[in-house]
Amino acid sequence: MDGKELESNVTYQVEPVGEWATARNVSVTTDAQPDENAEVQSIKSLNPITLEVTLSAPLVAEDLVLAKAQENFQFDNGLTIRNIPQLKTGTIATYYVPTTPQTSNMTYTLTYKDEMAGTFETNSDLIDMVEARQVAYDTIEIESSLRAGVTDYENVIASYVGKRNGLDFVLDQNNQYRGKNYEIIPSLRTAQVYITPEGGEPIVATYVPFTQATDGRQEPKFRLPAGETLIPGVEYTVTTDWADIKDSKFTAKAINPLTIRSVNEVNPTTLEVRLSSDPRDELFASRQIKLTAPDGTELVAQYKVTTRKGSTGIFEMMNGGKLEPNTMYSVTPVGQWAGLTFTTK
């Protein structure tokens, strides 16, 4: 490097000299030391549920735990942080911070680690979503389009670099890539939408964890409260206070449940559940099965998130339950999400 050294705390863009190679917006960031005393330097609302917060140094690991982040980031006017801050790819200490919905035309104050850190005004531009549709008897999904300039946060944060099967890229300081503006979908943990039947009252549906950007698709799932179902033949409208859904109406239909082909013990607290086909995405998420012993003892196992491999998922016993040795359990799905193609003796 002709005697020159990289300066610390600087992000360098990488471009090949000549035509021997191409670089897909690659950058190199020199070492920056996390600092527990990092201070907020700027706050910007990107949309009603996303902030972009730049600090003086990267956050220490202890501050990237949800409970600690909720303690550190305090807002007025009822606003709260929804999940941990995520470092924006290619930056030293700029973070996407997901929040509960910000009220339009509101100015908020952020208190960071008990110190007044600054104010920001809500950006009321709703996130553009393409379509809402039913995927199960109690679950819908809402699609967005990366091609149209809406990206899930997992594509543009440092912790997922190289883990997105080619979907990850680096946004500039204006959240542009190759001259194109991108809207950010942050972590949707605890996010909700309203599903309103024609002539009826809205039903609140809650985000299904780990479903917002799986299998290369941006289609977060939202599930009705336990016991609620979508009624076939009824038209529903989906609305939110954080997104604009272009095609927000769908007519519910009877959807065949998933089919369980086998349930096998991995160990006394873990089961492998195999379906007849790959459900894609994380449709296993939050689903449960009940196991009943000959003496009537019942156990409940729940899907362990992100363990799906094709048609197979891992389920773990709840409430400290354990399988008894040499016991044949009968299996039933909890709810209508699946049926069985095998019987137990």
Side-chain angles (χ1 to χ4, degrees):
M1 302 213 11
D2 297 328
K4 296 181 180 179
E5 296 183 355
L6 295 176
E7 296 182 18
S8 63
N9 299 339
V10 174
T11 299
Y12 294 86
Q13 293 300 121
V14 179
E15 296 182 7
V17 177
E19 300 180 355
W20 66 277
T22 60
R24 189 174 182 270
N25 209 20
V26 177
S27 62
V28 173
T29 302
T30 56
D31 288 338
Q33 295 301 316
D35 185 356
E36 63 180 4
N37 297 314
E39 298 179 349
V40 172
Q41 295 185 325
S42 67
I43 317 162
K44 179 168 63 175
S45 174
L46 301 181
N47 58 54
I49 56 173
T50 314
L51 298 179
E52 187 176 270
V53 179
T54 298
L55 293 98
S56 58
L59 297 174
V60 295
E62 292 80 359
D63 289 337
L64 294 173
V65 176
L66 180 56
K68 190 66 174 177
Q70 290 172 326
E71 179 183 326
N72 290 342
F73 286 83
Q74 297 286 326
F75 304 93
D76 60 358
N77 295 313
L79 190 67
T80 60
I81 190 172
R82 175 168 274 154
N83 209 339
I84 63 171
Q86 292 283 0
L87 180 65
K88 179 179 177 179
T89 306
T91 71
I92 298 297
T94 296
Y95 293 82
Y96 293 124
V97 178
T99 70
T100 53
Q102 303 158 29
T103 302
S104 297
N105 302 314
M106 177 71 74
T107 298
Y108 290 93
T109 298
L110 167 62
T111 300
Y112 181 69
K113 293 190 175 182
D114 298 325
E115 297 290 337
M116 199 284 224
T119 63
F120 62 92
E121 293 183 2
T122 301
N123 183 335
S124 299
D125 293 339
L126 302 180
I127 301 172
D128 289 318
M129 308 296 275
V130 178
E131 181 184 6
R133 52 181 169 260
Q134 179 187 7
V135 293
Y137 74 99
D138 62 351
T139 307
I140 68 162
E141 66 184 11
I142 305 177
E143 177 187 1
S144 64
S145 172
L146 180 61
R147 180 176 296 180
V150 179
T151 182
D152 188 87
Y153 77 106
E154 293 181 11
N155 296 332
V156 291
I157 60 173
S159 59
Y160 280 90
V161 169
K163 302 176 183 178
R164 298 292 297 152
N165 295 319
L167 293 176
D168 50 303
F169 57 103
V170 182
L171 294 172
D172 66 14
Q173 62 183 0
N174 298 313
N175 288 312
Q176 294 184 344
Y177 174 61
R178 294 180 175 175
K180 185 176 185 176
N181 292 313
Y182 280 84
E183 300 174 52
I184 308 297
I185 302 175
S187 167
L188 294 175
R189 177 185 174 276
T190 72
Q192 296 179 324
V193 300
Y194 304 97
I195 304 178
T196 306
E198 188 173 14
E201 293 297 317
I203 304 169
V204 177
T206 302
Y207 170 67
V208 181
F210 295 91
T211 64
Q212 67 184 79
T214 59
D215 291 0
R217 304 194 301 168
Q218 296 183 166
E219 297 172 352
K221 312 295 185 284
F222 295 83
R223 188 162 291 155
L224 301 179
E228 295 270 7
T229 62
L230 296 167
I231 302 172
V234 173
E235 183 180 76
Y236 292 85
T237 301
V238 182
T239 55
T240 82
D241 42 14
W242 51 270
D244 179 28
I245 307 170
K246 183 178 180 180
D247 188 355
S248 62
K249 297 181 184 293
F250 68 91
T251 299
K253 56 187 177 181
I255 294 181
N256 291 331
L258 304 174
T259 303
I260 299 175
R261 292 186 61 183
S262 64
V263 178
N264 297 304
E265 178 184 355
V266 177
N267 58 52
T269 61
T270 308
L271 300 167
E272 180 187 75
V273 176
R274 183 177 297 278
L275 301 180
S276 59
S277 61
D278 184 351
R280 299 186 69 186
D281 298 324
E282 282 287 290
L283 288 182
F284 269 133
S286 303
R287 298 306 196 186
Q288 299 175 348
I289 57 174
K290 182 172 66 175
L291 300 96
T292 306
D295 65 1
T297 301
E298 294 182 347
L299 299 170
V300 175
Q302 179 168 291
Y303 171 69
K304 182 180 180 181
V305 294
T306 72
T307 62
R308 178 181 61 88
K309 294 182 179 179
S311 62
T312 300
I314 298 299
F315 282 61
E316 294 183 325
M317 295 297 177
M318 301 182 69
N319 304 316
K322 288 186 177 182
L323 297 172
E324 291 293 333
N326 304 315
T327 301
M328 180 64 71
Y329 290 87
S330 63
V331 178
T332 53
V334 176
Q336 306 171 35
W337 70 273
L340 305 175
T341 59
F342 70 98
T343 57
T344 55
K345 300 179 180 178

